[in-house]
């Protein structure tokens, strides 16, 4: 019997929503869906079979332990057709290791599938590559969050199976979660965000955006490149690895709109993008657009606001 | 500490329009500037810092064409002691890159305590080379690394970025492979003079076909496509003063100004 093996991401007892994209793609691909998850997490639907592994959640998420788990699954059920992971920090960590360890071909960050042709982003969503496997299964996939959720099955009672695995002194061990405490404003609570991106160019430009934010009574935040350069504190980062925000207005200046960033702000009531590149993906998600250099727009806004 | 770091040269389309060629299977790179992959410059800086603190040497490896020697010169200018170029043209499949890398490490007898890669490359965004290589080499790995907190005898304590502003702290045994996330450090500035001096250090060139033979493709790129157009933004027109006034009007209408 052929089946697809889906790996659930469970953190602190929570079944992450992106697992539904994994289940959705598995369902589109046909075969029966087997969902693997740590024992601590119950009540999951969307699969024909749920395999509860007797491991702590953190151990289950370790690529090294997953090798042992997969070997046990193969012993019981034979080879799966697809092994599917979310394209998250967990999946980006585990799926390639599994691919290398078992020598299986891999495609990652899949956002669309049609008759065996898988699409993935190149150059931050500027183009998509369409790939096909041309060898026998098993295949390893990571699935973009939000892309296939709608195909996940909502009802049905899965068969349950328990699995015990022995893990020894592992070469990688979880020590704890870290959440950096911050005294800074919570950008998730602001009604109006002025957000700046890579286009800002140099540190010297930042103070004039701080002034603009002050004149507009907006809260200043940024996309990843600005935070990586430490031009604004980490607490101001919008995106998957920063904060998810839903302000009334999100004014994005010099942000091209990577998938990671869009996921963090797409639900804002009104999105206005300022960018000189007409092909910047952010325009696809915005209500209003200004095709212009961000610094020029800033300077004229300051002039109109009497900010000089 | 002996550190191997992988660096990739990538085309940049930050300000350039991207165009798919008529065959549908290739991207027109003629107008694009090339540079070191952003993630790899952070991995390189981390490698150099580790050997500066702990002794040992960093070895930079790139896979690609002769032009990719440019990123090896940069790596040496930043502080790597050795450079290797695996010359190979047909390179889309991450598993093939990782097999070439493993073969080079084994055939050249490269000693290492630690292998560093970037989390992903800006061009194909596979985010998988490091993990596959670790799986092939049977060494532990971790991706999305945002801090190396402690270096102990035989192990490291590192922090990995996960979603929602949270990180996890893990212990990992050496030898291991870490895929480095941007922002872990501030990569040092390299001058043109430094890169010129670095070109005097020998970089060994190895042909890919001498590393693995009879490789059969497992995935095939069928075509590239542009993203599906959504409804998209209403682009404000007029001279810039008019546009900015209109922008302020919208802000007032939305009740935030």
């Amino acid at each position: 019997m052929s089946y697809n093996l889906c790996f659930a991401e469970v953190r602190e007892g929570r079944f992450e929503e992106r697992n539904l994209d994994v289940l959705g793609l598995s369902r589109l691909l046909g075969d029966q869906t087997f969902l693997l998850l740590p024992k601590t997490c119950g009540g999951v639907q969307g699969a024909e079979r749920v395999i509860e592994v007797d491991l702590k959640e953190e151990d289950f998420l370790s690529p090294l332990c997953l090798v042992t788990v997969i070997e046990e699954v193969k012993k019981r059920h034979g080879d799966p057709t697809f092994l599917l992971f979310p394209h998250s920090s967990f999946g980006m960590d585990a799926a390639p290791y599994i691919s290398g360890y078992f020598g299986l071909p891999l495609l990652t960050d899949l956002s669309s599938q049609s008759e065996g042709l898988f699409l993935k982003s190149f150059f931050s969503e500027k183009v998509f590559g369409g790939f096909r496997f041309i060898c026998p299964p098993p295949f390893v996939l990571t699935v973009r969050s939000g892309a296939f959720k709608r195909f996940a099955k909502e009802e049905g009672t899965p068969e349950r199976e328990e699995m015990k695995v022995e893990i020894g002194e592992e070469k990688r061990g979880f020590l704890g979660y870290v959440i950096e405490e911050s005294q800074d404003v919570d950008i998730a609570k602001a009604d109006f965000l002025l957000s700046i991106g890579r286009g800002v160019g140099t540190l010297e430009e930042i103070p004039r955006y701080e002034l603009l934010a002050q004149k507009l009574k907006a809260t200043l935040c940024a996309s990843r490149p600005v935070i990586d350069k430490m031009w604004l504190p980490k607490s101001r980062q919008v995106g998957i690895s920063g904060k998810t925000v839903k302000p009334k207005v999100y004014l994005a200046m010099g942000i091209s709109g990577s998938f990671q960033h869009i996921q963090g702000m797409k639900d804002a009531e009104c999105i206005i993008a300022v960018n000189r590149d007409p092909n910047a993906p952010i325009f696809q998600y915005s209500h209003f657009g200004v095709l212009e250099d961000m610094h020029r727009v800033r300077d004229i806004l300051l002039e109109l606001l009497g900010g000089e | 500490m002996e550190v191997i770091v992988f660096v990739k040269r990538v085309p940049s389309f930050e300000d350039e329009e991207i165009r798919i060629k008529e065959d549908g299977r290739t991207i027109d790179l003629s107008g694009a500037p090339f540079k070191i992959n952003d993630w790899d410059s952070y991995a390189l800086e981390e490698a150099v810092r580790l050997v500066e603190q702990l002794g040992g040497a960093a070895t930079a490896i790139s896979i690609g064409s002769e032009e990719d020697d440019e990123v090896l010169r940069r790596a040496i200018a930043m502080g790597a002691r050795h450079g290797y170029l695996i010359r190979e043209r047909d390179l889309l499949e991450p598993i093939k890159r990782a097999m070439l890398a493993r073969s080079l490490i084994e055939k050249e007898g490269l000693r290492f305590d630690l292998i560093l890669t970037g989390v992903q490359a800006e061009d194909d965004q596979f985010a998988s080379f490091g993990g596959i290589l670790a799986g092939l080499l049977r060494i532990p790995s971790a991706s999305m690394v945002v801090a190396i907190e402690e270096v102990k005898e035989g192990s490291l304590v590192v922090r990995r970025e996960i979603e929602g502003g949270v990180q996890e702290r893990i212990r990992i045994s050496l030898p291991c492979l870490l895929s480095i996330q941007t922002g872990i450090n501030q990569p040092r500035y390299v001058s043109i003079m430094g890169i010129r001096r670095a070109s005097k250090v020998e970089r060994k060139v190895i042909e890919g076909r001498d590393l693995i033979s009879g490789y059969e493709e497992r995935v095939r790129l069928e075509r590239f496509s542009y993203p599906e157009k959504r409804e998209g933004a209403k682009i404000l027109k007029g001279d810039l003063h008019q546009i900015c006034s209109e922008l302020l009007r919208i802000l007032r209408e939305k009740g935030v100004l």
Side-chain angles (χ1 to χ4, degrees), chain A residues 89 93 108 120-121 123 126 128 130 132 134 171-173 175-176 178 224 228 240 283-284 287 289, chain B residues 13 124-126 141 143 160-161 163-164 167 169 171 182 186 218 220 222-223 225 230 234 236:
Chain A
S89 177
D93 199 33
T108 60
K120 80 171 301 303
S121 156
F123 298 104
K126 287 201 168 176
F128 285 78
R132 202 178 283 286
I134 49 169
K171 289 185 170 168
R172 171 175 158 170
L175 300 174
V178 186
R224 175 151 209 143
D228 279 349
I240 289 179
F283 286 122
Q284 296 294 314
H287 303 89
Chain B
F13 289 97
D124 60 37
Q125 300 185 281
F126 270 113
S141 71
S143 186
R160 296 183 61 246
E161 180 178 277
E163 286 71 14
Q167 299 174 349
R169 185 178 278 122
R171 173 192 45 75
T182 56
Q186 298 299 306
R218 302 179 201 193
R220 179 171 291 156
E222 222 160 84
R223 61 178 165 86
S225 52
R230 301 157 54 97
K234 176 179 180 236
L236 306 183

Side-chain angles (χ1 to χ4, degrees), chain A residues 125-147:
Chain A
E125 290 70 49
K126 287 201 168 176
V127 290
F128 285 78
F131 288 89
R132 202 178 283 286
F133 288 103
I134 49 169
C135 64
F139 312 117
V140 183
L141 309 177
T142 72
V143 184
R144 180 171 274 201
S145 141

Side-chain angles (χ1 to χ4, degrees), chain B residues 9-201:
Chain B
R9 178 175 166 268
V10 293
S12 168
F13 289 97
E14 261 161 43
D15 289 315
E16 322 289 323
E17 192 177 336
I18 194 162
R19 203 179 64 79
I20 301 164
K21 285 191 185 173
E22 265 174 29
D23 67 0
R25 298 183 67 233
T26 33
I27 290 169
D28 182 4
L29 301 176
S30 56
F34 280 76
K35 61 182 197 69
I36 184 171
N37 177 40
D38 208 17
W39 278 268
D40 298 350
S41 69
Y42 289 93
L44 186 53
E45 175 65 33
E46 203 61 21
V48 170
R49 285 186 190 191
L50 284 169
V51 298
E52 282 171 352
Q53 284 161 20
L54 305 164
T59 298
I61 305 176
S62 191
I63 311 176
S65 62
E66 286 92 86
E67 290 85 42
D68 296 311
D69 182 54
E70 179 190 324
V71 292
L72 290 178
R73 291 196 298 272
R74 167 172 285 269
I76 291 166
M78 275 176 76
R81 193 178 296 170
H82 310 285
Y84 286 85
L85 175 68
I86 301 174
R87 198 150 62 181
E88 178 70 50
R89 278 273 165 204
D90 183 23
L91 272 176
L92 216 48
E93 236 174 313
I95 199 160
K96 185 177 180 188
R97 301 184 79 97
M99 285 167 76
L100 287 164
R102 172 180 63 175
S103 177
L104 176 81
I105 290 167
E106 288 172 357
K107 286 195 176 162
E108 291 287 313
L110 300 181
R111 285 174 44 237
F112 66 88
D113 301 295
L114 181 62
I115 301 178
L116 299 181
T117 71
V119 164
Q120 65 175 333
E122 292 165 63
D123 51 1
D124 60 37
Q125 300 185 281
F126 270 113
S128 61
F129 170 78
I132 299 175
L133 179 58
L136 290 171
L137 289 168
R138 300 286 192 267
I139 57 171
S141 71
S143 186
M144 304 285 274
V145 173
V146 287
I148 299 178
E149 286 189 340
E150 289 175 49
V151 183
K152 296 178 179 170
E153 188 68 37
S155 71
L156 304 174
V157 174
V158 306
R159 271 188 284 142
R160 296 183 61 246
E161 180 178 277
I162 55 179
E163 286 71 14
V166 183
Q167 299 174 349
E168 63 175 3
R169 185 178 278 122
I170 60 167
R171 173 192 45 75
I172 188 163
S173 300
L174 293 169
C176 69
L177 184 146
L178 303 178
S179 295
I180 301 295
Q181 175 65 304
T182 56
I184 187 174
N185 53 40
Q186 298 299 306
R188 66 196 65 189
Y189 173 75
V190 204
S191 67
I192 304 284
M193 276 305 291
I195 293 177
R196 210 170 287 162
R197 268 198 304 277
S199 61
K200 297 194 180 98
V201 176

Side-chain angles (χ1 to χ4, degrees), chain A residues 234-251:
Chain A
K234 176 90 184 150
S235 50
R236 302 287 176 121
Q237 184 180 342
V238 173
I240 289 179
S241 49
K243 290 217 165 106
T244 299
V245 297
K246 286 183 198 172
K248 279 187 185 155
V249 176
Y250 191 80
L251 175 55

Side-chain angles (χ1 to χ4, degrees), chain A residues 208-224:
Chain A
R208 302 228 342 129
Y209 286 94
E210 283 170 339
L211 178 65
L212 178 61
Q214 193 193 328
K215 294 284 169 191
L216 288 169
K217 298 187 188 66
T219 304
L220 189 63
C221 59
S223 64
R224 175 151 209 143

Side-chain angles (χ1 to χ4, degrees), chain A residues 40-277:
Chain A
T40 48
C41 177
V44 176
Q45 295 170 336
E48 276 74 35
R49 179 179 287 268
V50 170
I51 304 176
E52 295 177 341
V53 185
D54 190 18
L55 279 179
K56 279 190 294 189
E57 173 189 301
E58 307 81 61
D59 290 333
F60 178 87
L61 293 171
S62 159
L64 277 62
C65 294
L66 281 181
V67 167
T68 314
V69 172
I70 292 168
E71 277 168 343
E72 179 61 26
V73 174
K74 281 162 62 130
K75 230 182 272 171
R76 293 187 186 185
H77 299 284
D79 277 344
T81 311
F82 290 97
L83 294 89
L84 300 99
F85 296 81
H87 191 71
S88 59
S89 177
F90 157 62
M92 287 159 84
D93 199 33
Y97 187 80
I98 298 304
S99 158
Y101 191 93
F102 291 102
L104 304 175
L106 165 80
L107 287 175
T108 60
D109 195 14
L110 303 176
S111 53
S112 160
Q113 186 279 148
S114 169
E115 293 175 3
L117 187 73
F118 294 93
L119 296 195
K120 80 171 301 303
S121 156
F122 275 63
F123 298 104
S124 292
E125 290 70 49
K126 287 201 168 176
V127 290
F128 285 78
F131 288 89
R132 202 178 283 286
F133 288 103
I134 49 169
C135 64
F139 312 117
V140 183
L141 309 177
T142 72
V143 184
R144 180 171 274 201
S145 141
F148 299 99
K149 189 164 63 186
R150 64 187 181 282
F151 302 112
K153 200 163 83 172
E154 277 164 21
E155 63 274 350
T157 313
E159 278 186 59
R160 295 198 171 265
E161 176 181 335
E162 288 188 12
M163 182 172 286
K164 269 198 169 20
V165 290
E166 293 295 324
I167 54 167
E169 178 59 35
E170 286 296 331
K171 289 185 170 168
R172 171 175 158 170
F174 176 84
L175 300 174
Y177 287 115
V178 186
I179 301 167
E180 277 172 13
E181 293 293 326
S182 166
Q183 304 299 311
D184 199 13
V185 291
D186 183 357
I187 57 170
K189 291 192 176 133
D191 270 346
F192 180 16
L193 288 170
L194 168 62
S195 192
I196 54 177
R198 192 190 293 273
V200 75
T202 62
L203 175 62
E204 287 67 41
E205 300 287 352
I206 302 281
R208 302 228 342 129
Y209 286 94
E210 283 170 339
L211 178 65
L212 178 61
Q214 193 193 328
K215 294 284 169 191
L216 288 169
K217 298 187 188 66
T219 304
L220 189 63
C221 59
S223 64
R224 175 151 209 143
V226 173
I227 308 295
D228 279 349
K229 292 199 169 72
M230 298 181 189
W231 293 345
L232 285 177
K234 176 90 184 150
S235 50
R236 302 287 176 121
Q237 184 180 342
V238 173
I240 289 179
S241 49
K243 290 217 165 106
T244 299
V245 297
K246 286 183 198 172
K248 279 187 185 155
V249 176
Y250 191 80
L251 175 55
M253 300 180 75
I255 293 175
S256 70
S258 71
F259 177 75
Q260 283 73 12
H261 186 77
I262 299 291
Q263 289 301 302
M265 47 61 87
K266 63 177 168 35
D267 296 326
E269 274 175 47
C270 175
I271 299 168
I272 307 170
V274 179
N275 202 303
R276 62 177 178 213
D277 175 7

